[in-house]
């Protein structure tokens, strides 16, 4: 579905990613784990068109995607939820969700809206409230909900548990499992490697801008190097 | 949808408050401040009455102030919308208004139509002019330091003023509204042209409100103002929203230009006066706040007229600037703005 082949990318002439190879198949959760500064977020930004790769190839559903504008990628089903959430603070929850369906103008949005409200009932209860009045956990739910409104085929989530209590982190990760069960593939960047590997079907470990390990979530969770470096075991 | 989706547990603990601060195009009505504002004007009107010693003069000043204030509000709404979304301090706003004044003059003198008919030409023309200016002149300066856009719009204002001077000459011109007689309201007299200018300005302001609050485009404009990166992530083409917003703001100046054409002496630099007033109104209402601009317009209209009673023989702008300086000292974020 999404394939990165030898992708190099960076900011202002500084190369961050060095020949990254990565693949996400339909209906699976793929986790990207690694230390701060390993290049996980840059990988998502290159895949979602926020930055252009300097070399290598990115394909989404068999078609080239590298260097395309974000709007085009969203319309094709590749949606990115950044760590900073980027919600529309003064807009209501419902307006935020409706804006999530911006590229779906020909599809009635009532179905997608009902699905999001079923997944996160707290958003339905507070639909008229502005996004800036929500707690951190609710904002994260709104952010994922807004991304689901675009009817994605692949959802890329960057550190969805940042700033959340363990209980809320579990709530959000549980929701990510449910989203996968609905047939949406997920590429998950997560600092909390233990939880991410438990949830993921497959995972990659990144170090200094390169993918250094890959395998199923369970395999990596049992790998001595991963256990020592990221799981603190 | 046939499949039942299980629900994630709703959190009950509010935590990690991550409020995003962003410009507010529509603030909730702050009733306390409205009450203070109304109280202020009751006192101001009482003082004006004591100073003038004549109720008729005060009533006339209040009526004229409110009527012209509605038009000031419309001009300022366009300016504040542009600032709220594009972060551009548009010094060419008054010059755009002057273009609409001359469109009205030309239509009335060449075609002999009612000045208000010029709305149907000036508004679309100014909308397109605004879109073109944003796309071809200002787009390159987006995201650059504020002074870049500031100097570009200042240069644009000078250019427009001089093109108008070249095309229409320096002689003052005027436009007459047919049947422009006086109407008695609460013991004061308002001309039909002033009443129409106020009425149409309020209707247009209401339409702008509906556009921003109730339509898909309006929600997208507010979304871009709130978080540009977020807007791009959901697939909104922010370049188009910037262009549309600048065009709508310029169309507001255009509409206001047509409405004031029968009320003012038309010269190439007439727009500058409205520019200054609009800036005061925008700061008073809270920069980027559209409702604030409308209320600010009414306040400045009243201030200008009542001020003329306090300081007879002085420029009406004197009292406007007194209020401006007081606002900058006491509440620099404006009546409806949030402290930063």
């Amino acid at each position: 579905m999404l394939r990165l082949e030898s992708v190099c990318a960076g900011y202002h002439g500084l190369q961050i990613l060095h020949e990254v190879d990565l693949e996400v198949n339909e209906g699976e959760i793929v986790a990207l784990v690694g230390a701060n500064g390993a290049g996980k977020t840059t990988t998502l930004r290159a895949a979602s068109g926020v930055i252009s790769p300097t070399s290598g190839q990115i394909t989404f559903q068999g078609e080239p995607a590298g260097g395309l504008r974000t709007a085009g990628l969203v319309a094709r089903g590749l949606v990115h939820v950044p760590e900073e959430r980027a919600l529309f603070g003064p807009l209501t929850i419902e307006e935020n969700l409706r804006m999530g369906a911006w590229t779906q103008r020909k599809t009635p949005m009532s179905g997608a809206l009902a699905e999001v409200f079923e997944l996160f009932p707290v958003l339905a209860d507070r639909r008229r409230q502005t996004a800036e009045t929500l707690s951190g956990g609710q904002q994260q739910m709104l952010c994922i909900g807004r991304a689901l409104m675009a009817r994605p085929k692949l959802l890329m989530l960057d550190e969805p548990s940042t700033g959340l209590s363990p209980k809320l982190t579990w709530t959000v990760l549980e929701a990510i499992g449910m989203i996968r069960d609905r047939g949406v593939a997920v590429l998950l960047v997560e600092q909390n490697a233990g939880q991410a590997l438990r949830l993921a079907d497959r995972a990659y470990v990144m170090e200094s801008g390169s993918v250094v390990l890959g395998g199923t979530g369970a395999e990596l969770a049992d790998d001595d190097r991963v256990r020592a470096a990221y799981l603190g075991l | 949808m046939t499949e039942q989706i299980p629900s994630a547990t709703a959190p009950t603990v509010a935590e990690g408050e991550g409020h995003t601060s962003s410009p507010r195009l529509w603030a909730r009505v702050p009733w306390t401040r409205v009450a203070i504002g109304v109280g202020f004007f009751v006192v101001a009107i009482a003082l004006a009455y004591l100073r003038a010693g004549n109720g008729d003069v005060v009533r006339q000043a209040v009526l004229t102030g409110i009527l012209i204030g509605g038009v000031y509000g419309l001009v300022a709404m366009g300016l504040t919308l542009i600032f709220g979304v594009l972060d551009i301090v548009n010094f060419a706003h008054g010059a755009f208004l002057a273009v609409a004044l001359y469109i009205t003059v030309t239509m009335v003198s060449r075609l002999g139509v009612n000045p208000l008919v010029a709305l149907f030409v000036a508004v679309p023309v100014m909308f397109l002019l605004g879109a073109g200016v944003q796309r071809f002149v200002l787009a390159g300066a987006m995201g650059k330091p504020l002074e870049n856009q500031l100097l570009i719009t200042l240069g644009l204002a000078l250019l427009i003023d001089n093109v108008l001077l070249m095309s229409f000459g320096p002689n003052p011109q005027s436009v007459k509204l047919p049947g422009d007689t006086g109407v008695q309201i609460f013991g004061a007299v308002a001309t039909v042209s002033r009443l129409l200018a106020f009425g149409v300005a309020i209707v247009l302001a209401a339409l702008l409100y509906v556009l921003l609050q109730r339509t898909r485009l309006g929600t997208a404009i507010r979304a871009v103002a709130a978080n540009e990166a977020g807007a791009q992530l959901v697939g909104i083409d922010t370049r188009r929203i910037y262009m549309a917003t600048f065009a709508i703001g310029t169309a507001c100046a255009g509409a206001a230009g047509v409405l004031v054409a029968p009320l003012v002496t038309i010269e190439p630099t007439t727009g500058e006066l409205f520019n200054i007033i609009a800036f005061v109104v925008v700061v008073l209402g809270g920069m980027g706040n559209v409702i604030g601009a409308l209320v600010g317009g009414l306040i400045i209209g009243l201030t200008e007229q009542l001020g003329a009673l306090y300081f007879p023989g002085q420029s009406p702008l004197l009292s406007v600037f007194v209020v401006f300086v007081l606002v900058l000292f006491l509440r620099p974020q404006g009546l409806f703005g949030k402290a930063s």
Side-chain angles (χ1 to χ4, degrees), chain A residues 48-72:
Chain A
S48 65
V50 177
I51 59 169
S52 297
T54 47
S55 66
Q57 229 196 348
I58 301 173
T59 51
F60 180 61
Q61 295 198 303
E63 287 178 41
L68 283 190
R69 285 183 66 82
T70 308

Side-chain angles (χ1 to χ4, degrees), chain B:
Chain B
M1 200 187 76
T2 51
E3 191 191 357
Q4 268 292 343
I5 298 162
S7 299
T9 324
T12 49
V13 189
E15 59 153 77
E17 295 290 338
H19 288 194
T20 43
S21 79
S22 37
R24 302 169 150 269
L25 290 176
W26 298 98
R28 287 176 197 287
V29 179
W31 290 113
T32 328
R33 269 173 263 162
V34 170
I36 292 170
V38 171
F40 173 78
F41 270 104
V42 170
V43 174
I45 289 166
L47 286 175
Y49 181 77
L50 290 175
R51 178 110 170 107
N54 181 341
D56 289 346
V57 182
V58 177
R59 271 199 294 276
Q60 185 63 48
V62 170
L63 180 64
T64 310
I66 289 175
L67 294 184
I68 196 65
V71 182
Y72 289 162
L74 180 62
V75 184
M77 280 170 98
L79 189 63
T80 209
L81 179 67
I82 290 171
F83 178 80
V85 179
L86 287 90
D87 247 351
I88 286 180
V89 180
N90 179 21
F91 278 110
H93 203 64
F96 288 136
L97 185 144
V99 174
L101 284 174
Y102 279 97
I103 289 175
T104 314
V105 168
T106 309
M107 284 185 69
V108 171
S109 61
R110 298 269 169 89
L111 307 173
V113 294
N114 184 302
L116 286 178
V117 174
L119 273 176
F120 298 102
V121 175
V123 173
V125 165
M126 297 313 291
F127 181 91
L128 292 176
L129 181 66
V133 164
Q134 201 285 327
R135 175 73 186 79
F136 298 109
V137 183
L138 287 167
M142 293 297 292
K144 301 271 168 59
L146 198 63
E147 56 266 26
N148 290 24
Q149 301 151 7
L150 219 122
L151 289 173
I152 291 175
T153 59
L154 196 60
L156 198 63
L158 291 172
L159 181 73
I160 293 173
D161 283 358
N162 284 287
V163 168
L164 291 176
L165 186 63
M166 263 167 50
S167 312
F168 297 96
N171 292 335
Q173 305 192 45
S174 63
V175 164
K176 282 247 172 305
L177 187 80
D180 193 9
T181 51
V183 179
Q184 284 276 342
I185 299 172
F186 302 120
V189 181
T191 55
V192 172
S193 55
R194 275 188 196 279
L195 286 170
L196 274 174
F198 176 78
V200 176
I202 295 299
V203 168
L204 290 177
L207 286 176
L208 183 62
Y209 176 85
V210 171
L211 172 82
L212 286 172
Q213 289 298 106
R214 299 270 176 261
T215 68
R216 193 175 133 85
L217 172 68
T219 314
I221 287 174
R222 289 186 292 126
V224 172
N227 195 316
E228 187 196 359
Q232 282 173 345
L233 283 170
V234 299
I236 295 174
D237 187 342
T238 48
R239 291 175 308 179
R240 282 194 188 178
I241 296 295
Y242 285 142
M243 197 164 83
T245 307
F246 199 89
I248 292 168
T250 309
C252 286
V258 175
L259 296 176
V260 296
L263 312 178
V264 296
T265 306
I266 299 166
E267 294 173 69
T269 52
T270 305
E272 284 171 16
L273 174 71
F274 285 92
N275 213 23
I276 293 167
I277 289 176
F279 271 97
V280 177
V281 170
V282 166
V283 172
L284 179 65
M287 294 188 78
N289 190 307
V290 179
I291 281 284
L294 185 62
V295 177
L298 293 170
I299 292 176
I300 290 300
L302 279 167
T303 305
E304 186 189 85
Q305 295 299 320
L306 288 173
L309 298 183
Y310 292 121
F311 311 112
Q314 301 298 318
S315 159
L317 278 182
L318 179 66
S319 49
V320 171
F321 282 121
V322 169
V323 169
F324 185 47
V325 171
L326 283 177
V327 169
L328 287 179
F329 264 118
L330 301 175
R331 199 175 162 81
Q333 72 271 32
L335 292 179
F336 293 79
K338 266 188 169 179
S340 57

